[in-house]
Amino acid sequence: FGHDVVCIDKDQSKIDRLHDGVMPIYEPGLDSLVENNVRAGRLSFTTDLAEGIAGAGAIFIAVGTPSRRGDGHADLSFVHAVAREIGQSLSNDAVVVTKSTVPVGTGDEVERILAESGTPHRVAVVSNPEFLREGAAIKDFKIPDRVVVGTDSERARELMRELYRPLFLNETPILFTSRRTSELIKYAANAFLAVKITFINEMADLCEAVGANVQEVSRGIGLDGRIGRKFLNAGPGYGGSCFPKDTLALTKTANEPNSPVRIVDTVVEVNAARKKAMAEKVIKAMGGDVEGKTIGVLGLAFKQNTDDMRDAPSLDIVPALMEAGATVRAYDPEAMHEASKLMSGIEYADSAYEAIKGADAMVIITEWDQFRALDLDRVKRHRAAFGFFRDRRPELYGRLV
Ligand code: UDX
């Protein structure tokens, strides 16, 4: 967008690697975007917060808000810590923008912490949730469906309008709301999408039980403009860095004022059970016993185009298959390194075909495009006893077959 941006992180090695042009995550297009902007002198990296925010008009808080161990509430310790540090380091008036996904009322907390720091500078606190999908993050940022900005401060509204001005060109709606409303919009959006996925997942089970086709059901309902076609792909349960933790956090937030969101409570439960049930499904399809069998697993990341393994369905499915006595030979284009930190005992392959060579079954967990384009004749040549790839319809990709 042409703004000058300084990225600040406490992790020295992350900053060092960024200086060397090495991205801390896999995200398509990120390396060249970073490289171009560094070269243009607009983007820099530092571990020094005071130096990094000096002169900044807007300071974005983008730290993690993981699920708190034990109770599922969002862990706000990083948000609070960085707010404290910003308060102590400010050298000019600024707008502090929360990008991290935070429960309703967190902006009030950040405001209180900043005030307590005794900073003489004027600070407005804004909520500006992000709706980026991993793997499509750059496109989602540049061509968003909407931008949500929550603040009561006119000065902050002005600055945010100016920041997002490049989006006026494609007439992106910018929705100004109160801070609390904006905080809730983020959770409501993620929870709604999780409901949609869980709904179609249950329809998939029903389809299997009654002999219907879930892809056609999805298309048949999705063409209704009130329902919409997106996020109606059945799969092994949603995972990732957002849906699992945000749905859980929303149920916690809702329980406190005794305003339960029962549909989301159920979605959390159904999704967790679904991931667990997937291994059983595979075992059943293989005749009820996988002892001594080899299963080729394609895809480990929670979705395609990422190396992110957070809450990936593979973390439930693969260990359960191994516990049942199977040997798992897996291939993922990007996530094998991350997966090896979280699961042991997997044999890793160099390609999809390598993973399924001589295997008794092939399980596609992640919908990478390259699995969609598998040469099925070659697959057939590679297998010894090919368990349950029952159907050649390409739309079966991304589901367990
Ligand atoms: C999500 C939200 O989409 C995004 O707006 C928010 O900012 C962060 O959380 P992300 O987690 O990157 O993004 O991935 P997303 O594409 O939403 O998929 C989440 C999970 O749902 C994945 O496990 C995916 O495989 C699953 N999914 C998605 C389905 O099972 N079916 C679908 O139709 C869509």
Side-chain angles (χ1 to χ4, degrees):
F1 289 179
H3 304 308
D4 289 329
V5 177
V6 184
C7 298
I8 306 157
D9 200 290
K10 281 201 175 324
D11 183 344
Q12 182 72 53
S13 70
K14 194 181 270 185
I15 295 296
D16 289 345
R17 272 178 287 145
L18 281 162
H19 277 138
D20 293 338
V22 181
M23 298 302 109
I25 53 161
Y26 172 72
E27 179 67 36
L30 185 63
D31 37 10
S32 56
L33 184 71
V34 167
E35 193 191 319
N36 291 343
N37 282 283
V38 168
R39 204 177 303 127
R42 284 190 292 262
L43 182 61
S44 58
F45 308 97
T46 180
T47 52
D48 188 333
L49 188 135
E51 181 194 296
I53 65 171
I59 301 166
F60 282 79
I61 297 180
V63 295
T65 51
S67 281
R68 203 161 61 193
R69 226 172 256 275
D71 64 7
H73 274 286
D75 178 352
L76 294 174
S77 53
F78 303 118
V79 174
H80 294 163
V82 80
R84 217 164 290 127
E85 226 178 302
I86 291 170
Q88 287 155 5
S89 315
L90 264 181
S91 52
N92 50 274
D93 293 352
V95 171
V96 171
V97 188
T98 310
K99 263 281 168 210
S100 304
T101 298
V102 292
V104 178
T106 304
D108 304 352
E109 282 285 287
V110 169
E111 197 166 73
R112 187 182 55 74
I113 292 169
L114 287 164
E116 274 174 14
S117 74
T119 176
H121 303 287
R122 277 196 311 159
V123 213
V125 177
V126 174
S127 158
N128 174 218
E130 58 88 10
F131 301 102
L132 314 178
R133 287 162 306 161
E134 290 181 33
I138 296 173
K139 180 171 160 275
D140 284 353
F141 186 74
K142 288 187 171 173
I143 316 170
D145 288 336
R146 81 305 204 184
V147 172
V148 176
V149 175
T151 176
D152 295 330
S153 153
E154 187 46 44
R155 181 172 68 91
R157 263 196 293 266
E158 259 319 294
L159 183 116
M160 296 303 283
R161 225 178 258 124
E162 189 52 32
L163 273 179
Y164 286 110
R165 197 156 52 93
L167 295 177
F168 292 177
L169 206 64
N170 42 15
E171 295 179 2
T172 303
I174 300 199
L175 186 66
F176 289 102
T177 69
S178 76
R179 200 162 56 204
R180 282 179 171 247
T181 304
S182 165
E183 287 167 340
L184 187 57
I185 286 172
K186 167 70 189 200
Y187 280 99
N190 275 353
F192 189 85
L193 293 170
V195 169
K196 216 173 162 186
I197 296 167
T198 306
F199 177 83
I200 203 67
N201 283 344
E202 289 206 311
M203 283 299 129
D205 290 345
L206 184 55
C207 283
E208 278 174 28
V210 300
N213 177 319
V214 72
Q215 276 86 16
E216 287 165 12
V217 169
S218 169
R219 196 165 147 73
I221 62 172
L223 285 168
D224 184 327
R226 293 169 300 176
I227 296 174
R229 292 174 65 174
K230 294 180 183 164
F231 277 66
L232 279 181
N233 293 316
Y238 61 76
S241 63
C242 289
F243 285 177
K245 89 174 164 64
D246 294 350
T247 44
L248 193 58
L250 180 63
T251 62
K252 301 291 168 190
T253 301
N255 287 341
E256 266 159 28
N258 197 19
S259 178
V261 279
R262 285 192 296 267
I263 193 166
V264 186
D265 285 332
T266 306
V267 160
V268 169
E269 209 178 291
V270 170
N271 192 62
R274 181 174 191 80
K275 290 185 191 170
K276 299 228 174 302
M278 279 297 144
E280 277 312 311
K281 201 169 184 149
V282 173
I283 294 167
K284 196 165 157 224
M286 292 180 73
D289 185 10
V290 293
E291 184 75 51
K293 301 247 171 83
T294 299
I295 301 177
V297 166
L298 304 190
L300 295 165
F302 86 94
K303 59 181 266 190
Q304 64 169 339
N305 290 335
T306 178
D307 61 353
D308 199 336
M309 286 292 299
R310 282 175 286 180
D311 278 307
S314 65
L315 293 173
D316 282 305
I317 301 168
V318 171
L321 293 175
M322 292 194 295
E323 262 161 45
T327 298
V328 170
R329 203 184 308 127
Y331 171 72
D332 187 288
E334 294 294 337
M336 292 194 287
H337 180 64
E338 286 301 310
S340 68
K341 296 183 201 160
L342 301 167
M343 291 184 281
S344 54
I346 302 178
E347 291 175 14
Y348 290 99
D350 292 334
S351 72
Y353 296 107
E354 193 63 34
I356 56 185
K357 210 172 197 167
D360 297 284
M362 167 174 92
V363 178
I364 305 178
I365 300 184
T366 315
E367 69 275 39
W368 284 93
D369 277 348
Q370 57 175 268
F371 302 152
R372 200 197 290 243
L374 278 183
D375 174 351
L376 295 183
D377 289 327
R378 193 168 159 202
V379 166
K380 209 169 164 189
R381 284 199 301 278
H382 269 320
R383 70 183 176 87
F386 205 57
F388 55 101
F389 195 88
R390 291 178 298 223
D391 196 315
R392 288 183 168 215
R393 280 166 306 153
E395 68 268 27
L396 279 179
Y397 93 93
R399 296 203 50 222
L400 288 171
V401 284

